[in-house]
């Protein structure tokens, strides 16, 4: 039964059933309650502010060293603030809570309270802010239309039509905001982008139905990030290297597979180890050999890329195409070496890999002499019926397109939209298309429908649970809901927290949950930056594509492991295991690893690699091409682990100065002291630099070292902003998890930002605290945090009208409706 609550200021909220009561009534008490003991009297809170805050945060006394932060974050003055009315300045007080939680304020050189006193005031202030949130609830803005980003489009096509496309082949990359590329405010659409969607729809529809017009020509550039498809499967006895790609063949027929190698000793290239013996190049489809070629050792400079081509009969559907190198005669003694890896050094530096020819491109073209469309997963999923006569075609088409519309439009297909697909089918048939061609034409129409390209969250009455199902699937899978989730929405079962938890745990066990790793974690941790990291010499001599791929895979597999096994979030920082192959283990100096694929490996005692802060991927992206950067690493820790990003640097920051000729080179700590000694720079650098100093034993590509590049001993001692003294990376990790709610809060903030598709605002703070508090009872396990996000007030509710700028600050002026409400208003 629906019920209505009138909050202060006239805000009207509509709730439905048990979940609504959990969200506001019972949940509100949990938010407002003080889980840390009795609240201090208001007078004590006022005394705390006067004693520890107002001394600096007044208009008359703003230190020179604080002006930079004041400029970036606004003047936080306390003289006119009333703690008895925190609602009037929620934004300021939420900032105070964040600074106190991270231990950033007051500064170390100021009069600081003892930790217990600071925590007691923070808990009291949080409780007051949570009380205001209960009385003036606001789920925040929720756009009616939100375009699918490129990854979501690719995954939706995969799950709807059972064809795995590379959306980057059709669509440009999306802009990012708040650290993610699925933010509603940046996902705009232009006429040019619409043309790309039309082209993609045409190509995809032909692939799906196996159109006679589906002639495909695709070239994979092996050395590029966008199209490299390196896998770790068994290459066969004696295979020394190569690559393997997954390619979709639209129809049965003959296809040409062409491989080109890199030119040898081309002008400007760094000479590598010569190819000492002939090599055998094998081309294979699904492991079956379709052609072999001899690659002779070069006896002269070859500037044109060697090219090898074979034509083979391939059935329709997705197949693995591999190009593999062998010694001649076959080397059956050494067994498996690095499988299916095309090692390539940055700047054409590959070390010993120059002894094996290097692939440049692999192209697939066809079909020639095409046969039928074949029995592909796409056709089996699409053609739910096959008309036996012309009189059965219309009914069969209606059945196919109705089922397709239900999935494609996430259970929110309108009658008009469904009829538009039938009209597209009829139009194609009237133009002479076959039955299959008519269905393909309707699929093309569907793929450019606003109800497919956009997530529509208008006021749709009884379909609100379908909106929640869509939110869940795009959050966890970056894709459309599957049948069990759609059925739960249609049956009204998503109206309870228990059902939501059950659905979330089911979805996280699905392989599609890899999207949380590849889309959420890779952007939260800035792992995507690794594709653009190019170290300079001499570091580049030790850095190649095989290493870069292993570094990225290590972090991805590690996060996925913690997620799927529902480990505590703190294990991301303290784990005593990682994922290694031989290439990466050799880079880290860890003995005993011989396998070519990445596997979970227990770390030796006293090894500093445990957790994210020991991953070479993250250590590299927080370095400069020629050296480490305590500033970049410290900034990364503050922003991504503590949730307190520092302000951007001023435009006139000078470069670090090295030593004078004939003198000993100064350490980075000594060079950065110039910034810390400057009054205008000290406040930020005293916050940023310490965490970076603690990681100085790792060089710019993640190797452990005891001395820097100038042979100076590494000093990794640092004093963190909260006063904690750490002597190395291991002690830094322990300091970061000493208060696990800090790290858990950061993860929840990033998860909620990613799930909502918008940046968080002060009114979201109470929801974040509620999620973290509930997860504390479960040791802050990662799935508990995710479930808390999906059961949270902002995730399950939406405003009925878009707020203006003033409305965001005065939430009581706007009504809100629950996504889950299936009753009448």
């Amino acid at each position: 039964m629906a019920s209505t609550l009138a909050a202060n200021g006239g805000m009207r909220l509509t709730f439905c059933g048990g979940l609504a009561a959990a969200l506001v009534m019972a949940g509100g008490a949990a938010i407002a309650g003080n889980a840390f003991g009795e609240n201090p009297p208001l007078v004590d809170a006022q005394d705390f502010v006067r004693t520890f805050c107002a001394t600096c945060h007044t208009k008359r006394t703003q230190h020179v060293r604080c002006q930079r932060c004041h400029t970036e974050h606004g003047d936080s003055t306390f003289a006119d603030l009333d703690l008895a009315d925190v609602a009037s300045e929620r934004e300021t007080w939420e900032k105070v809570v964040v600074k106190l939680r991270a231990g950033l304020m007051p500064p170390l050189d100021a009069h600081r309270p003892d930790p217990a006193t600071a925590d007691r005031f923070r808990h009291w202030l949080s409780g007051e802010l949570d009380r205001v949130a209960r009385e003036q609830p606001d789920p925040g803005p929720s756009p009616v239309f939100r375009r699918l980003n490129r990854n979501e489009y690719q995954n939706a096509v995969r799950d709807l039509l059972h064809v795995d496309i590379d959306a980057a082949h059709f669509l440009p990359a999306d802009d990012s905001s708040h650290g993610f590329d699925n933010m509603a405010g940046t996902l705009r659409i232009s006429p040019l982008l619409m043309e790309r969607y039309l082209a993609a729809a045409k190509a995809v529809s032909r692939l799906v139905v196996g159109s006679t017009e589906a002639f495909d020509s695709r070239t994979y550039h092996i050395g590029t990030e966008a199209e490299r498809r390196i896998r770790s499967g068994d290459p066969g006895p004696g295979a020394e290297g190569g690559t393997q790609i997954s390619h979709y063949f639209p129809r049965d027929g003959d296809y040409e597979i062409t491989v080109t190698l890199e030119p040898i000793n081309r002008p400007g290239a760094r000479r590598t180890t010569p190819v000492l013996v002939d090599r055998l190049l094998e081309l294979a489809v699904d492991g079956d050999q379709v052609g072999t070629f001899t690659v002779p050792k070069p006896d002269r400079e070859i500037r044109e890329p060697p090219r090898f081509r074979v034509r083979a009969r391939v059935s329709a559907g997705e197949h693995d195409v591999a190009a593999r190198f062998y010694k001649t005669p076959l080397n059956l003694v050494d067994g498996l070496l690095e499988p299916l890896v095309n090692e390539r050094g940055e700047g054409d530096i590959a070390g010993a890999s120059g002894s094996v020819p290097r692939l440049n491109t692999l192209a697939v073209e066809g079909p020639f002499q095409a046969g039928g469309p074949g029995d592909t997963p796409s056709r089996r999923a699409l053609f739910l019926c096959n008309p036996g006569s012309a009189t059965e075609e219309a009914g069969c088409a209606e059945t196919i397109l109705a089922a397709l519309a239900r999935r494609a439009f996430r259970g929110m297909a309108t009658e008009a939209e469904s009829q538009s697909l039938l009209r597209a089918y009829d139009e194609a048939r009237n133009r002479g298309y076959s039955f299959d061609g008519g269905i393909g034409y309707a699929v093309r129409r569907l793929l450019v429908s606003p109800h497919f390209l956009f997530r529509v969250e208008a006021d749709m009455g009884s379909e609100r649970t379908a909106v929640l199902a869509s939110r869940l699937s795009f959050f966890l899978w970056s894709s459309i809901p599957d049948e069990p989730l759609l059925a739960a929405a249609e049956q009204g079962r998503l109206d309870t927290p228990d059902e939501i938890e059950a659905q979330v745990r089911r979805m996280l066990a699905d392989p599609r949950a890899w999207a949380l790793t590849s889309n959420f974690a890779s952007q939260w941790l800035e792992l995507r930056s690794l594709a653009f990291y190019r170290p300079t010499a001499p570091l580049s001599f030790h850095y190649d594509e095989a290493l870069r791929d292993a570094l990225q895979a290590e972090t991805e597999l590690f996060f996925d492991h913690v997620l799927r096994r529902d480990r505590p979030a703190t294990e991301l920082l303290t784990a005593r295991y990682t994922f290694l192959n031989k290439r990466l283990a050799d880079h880290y100096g860890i003995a005993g690893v011989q396998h070519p694929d990445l596997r979970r490996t227990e770390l030796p005692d006293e090894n500093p690699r445990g957790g994210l802060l020991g991953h070479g991927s993250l250590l590299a992206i927080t370095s400069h091409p020629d050296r480490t950067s305590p500033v970049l690493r410290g900034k990364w820790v503050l922003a991504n682990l503590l949730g307190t990003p520092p302000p951007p640097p001023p435009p006139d920051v000078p470069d670090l100065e090295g030593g004078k000729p004939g003198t000993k080179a100064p350490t980075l700590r000594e060079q950065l002291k110039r910034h810390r000694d400057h009054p205008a720079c000290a406040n930020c650098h005293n916050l940023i630099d310490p965490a970076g100093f603690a990681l100085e034993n790792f060089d710019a590509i993640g190797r452990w070292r005891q001395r820097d590049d100038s042979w100076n001993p590494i000093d990794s001692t640092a004093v963190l902003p909260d006063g904690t003294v750490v002597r190395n990376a291991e002690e830094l990790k322990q300091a970061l998890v000493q208060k696990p709610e800090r790290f858990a809060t950061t993860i929840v903030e990033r998860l909620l930002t990613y799930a909502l598709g918008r940046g968080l605002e002060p009114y979201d703070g109470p929801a974040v605290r509620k999620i973290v508090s509930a997860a504390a009872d479960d040791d802050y396990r990662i799935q508990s945090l995710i479930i808390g996000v999906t059961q949270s007030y902002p995730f399950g509710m939406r405003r009925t009208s878009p707020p203006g700028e003033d409305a965001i600050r005065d939430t009581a002026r706007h009504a809100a409706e629950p996504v889950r409400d299936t009753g009448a208003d």
Side-chain angles (χ1 to χ4, degrees), residues 297-627:
K297 60 181 179 181
D299 54 5
R300 56 186 173 82
E301 182 179 282
I302 301 176
R303 300 192 181 187
E304 293 298 323
R307 186 182 304 270
F308 305 92
R309 177 176 294 146
V310 67
R311 180 174 288 198
R313 192 75 177 176
V314 184
S315 62
E318 190 169 16
H319 298 277
D320 293 331
V321 182
R324 304 184 282 217
F325 290 109
Y326 297 90
K327 287 182 181 178
T328 52
L330 290 180
N331 178 5
L332 300 178
V333 178
D334 296 335
L336 299 182
L337 302 179
E338 292 288 333
L340 303 181
V341 172
N342 181 52
E343 292 190 355
R344 179 196 307 264
E346 302 306 326
D348 221 13
I349 300 169
S353 65
S355 62
V356 178
R358 288 191 248 168
L359 296 174
N360 187 32
T361 64
L362 190 156
V364 180
E365 186 176 22
F368 303 94
Q369 300 179 354
D375 181 25
T376 65
S378 296
R379 287 185 59 86
R380 290 196 297 270
L382 180 62
F383 291 98
L384 302 178
C385 55
N386 291 292
S389 64
T391 59
E392 298 177 359
E393 289 182 351
C396 182
E398 185 173 0
T399 299
I400 291 172
L401 296 179
L404 197 63
R406 176 175 173 270
R407 287 287 314 280
F409 303 148
R410 282 81 82 177
M412 295 175 280
T414 64
E415 182 64 24
E417 191 65 24
S418 297
Q419 287 300 316
S420 72
L421 299 183
L422 282 172
R423 287 195 299 271
Y425 166 81
D426 291 337
E427 178 186 346
R429 294 292 278 144
N430 292 335
R431 292 166 57 183
Y433 282 60
S434 65
F435 175 78
D436 287 8
I439 295 295
Y441 194 81
V443 169
R444 188 189 310 182
R445 167 66 179 83
L446 178 146
L447 292 176
V448 294
S449 167
H451 289 274
F452 177 75
L453 293 179
F454 291 84
R455 294 167 56 184
V456 182
E457 296 188 358
D459 183 4
M460 292 165 290
S462 61
E463 294 177 347
R464 290 171 187 151
T465 51
V467 174
L468 179 58
S470 180
R471 288 188 178 187
L472 283 170
S473 65
F474 279 100
F475 172 35
L476 303 178
W477 289 347
S478 297
S479 186
I480 58 177
D482 64 353
E483 180 58 35
L485 186 58
L486 273 182
E490 292 168 349
Q491 297 165 14
R493 290 187 282 115
L494 285 181
D495 195 44
T496 65
D498 289 344
E499 178 64 21
I500 290 178
E501 178 176 351
Q503 289 289 344
V504 170
R505 293 196 183 276
R506 177 187 70 83
M507 295 171 72
L508 290 178
D510 190 280
R512 284 169 287 189
W514 176 260
L516 269 180
T517 297
S518 61
N519 294 334
F520 167 71
S522 67
Q523 293 185 84
W524 163 43
L525 301 174
E526 303 177 28
L527 189 59
R528 291 183 179 180
S529 302
L530 188 64
F532 308 102
Y533 181 66
R534 300 290 187 270
T536 57
L539 294 171
S540 59
F541 290 102
H542 308 279
Y543 190 88
D544 55 28
E545 283 183 359
L547 176 61
R548 183 173 63 194
D549 291 337
L551 290 171
Q552 178 162 333
E554 175 195 21
T555 304
E556 290 176 339
L557 291 172
F558 175 65
F559 179 87
D560 187 68
H561 177 89
V562 172
L563 171 66
R564 293 186 185 276
R565 285 158 180 77
D566 195 18
R567 303 297 301 160
T570 51
E571 193 166 296
L572 289 169
L573 299 179
T574 62
R576 294 304 306 157
Y577 61 88
T578 189
F579 288 79
L580 301 176
N581 62 4
K582 185 179 188 306
R583 177 71 177 91
L584 187 54
D586 289 346
H587 182 71
Y588 285 168
I590 297 176
V593 177
Q594 298 297 324
H595 41 80
D597 55 323
L598 278 86
R599 305 176 190 172
R600 173 170 167 162
T601 305
E602 299 299 320
L603 293 170
D605 294 340
E606 308 301 325
N607 187 283
R609 291 289 166 188
L612 291 172
L613 291 178
H615 283 207
S617 59
L618 305 180
L619 295 163
I621 64 173
T622 53
S623 298
H624 293 299
D626 59 340
R627 63 168 176 83

